[in-house]
Amino acid sequence: MKKSVLTRYRVMAYTTGVLLVLLCLSMIAKYGLDVDGAADFTRVVAIAHGWLYVVYLVFAFDLGSKAKMPVGRQLWVLLAGTIPTAAFFVERKISRELEGRVADGSPAVAKV
């Protein structure tokens, strides 16, 4: 497995995670606090997160298939972009597991 596969996944995990946190905060501002202009910001962030989540899914699936992850673990990685802040924790855990294998070029097989 190449380092670029892990790097692409990490960039998209952080991007997706930040956008999802921004989306949650903007929804609170829009519906809970009734802030002027929050509706437009919410719309922009929702669209950006939606499209970039699709890119995240592609990169996460690519990583999972190349790392030969079990189906359950791969599903958790794919769903992490839908749970606020989960993408940060899952990305860190997956990166720690796979960085050593990427560095020495050995086949990456993730634990269950």
Side-chain angles (χ1 to χ4, degrees), residues 21-34 38 41-42 46:
V21 168
L22 282 175
L23 181 60
C24 290
L25 293 174
S26 68
M27 296 286 273
I28 291 168
K30 178 180 176 183
Y31 294 110
L33 304 175
D34 199 28
F41 184 74
T42 301

Side-chain angles (χ1 to χ4, degrees), residues 18-106:
V18 167
L19 285 173
L20 187 56
V21 168
L22 282 175
L23 181 60
C24 290
L25 293 174
S26 68
M27 296 286 273
I28 291 168
K30 178 180 176 183
Y31 294 110
L33 304 175
D34 199 28
V35 174
D36 291 334
D40 294 333
F41 184 74
T42 301
R43 186 178 311 109
V44 170
V45 173
I47 291 169
H49 173 70
W51 282 105
L52 291 175
Y53 179 67
V54 173
V55 176
Y56 168 81
L57 288 175
V58 170
F59 289 163
F61 183 78
D62 184 41
L63 175 74
S65 63
K66 289 181 179 167
K68 297 178 180 24
M69 287 182 190
V71 174
R73 173 160 291 230
Q74 193 164 7
L75 285 175
W76 176 238
V77 172
L78 293 171
L79 289 174
T82 63
I83 302 167
T85 69
F88 304 120
F89 297 106
V90 172
E91 179 276 327
R92 191 68 235 147
K93 183 174 175 78
I94 296 296
S95 293
R96 283 185 184 151
E97 290 177 6
L98 297 180
E99 278 177 339
R101 296 184 192 123
V102 169
D104 65 7
S106 64

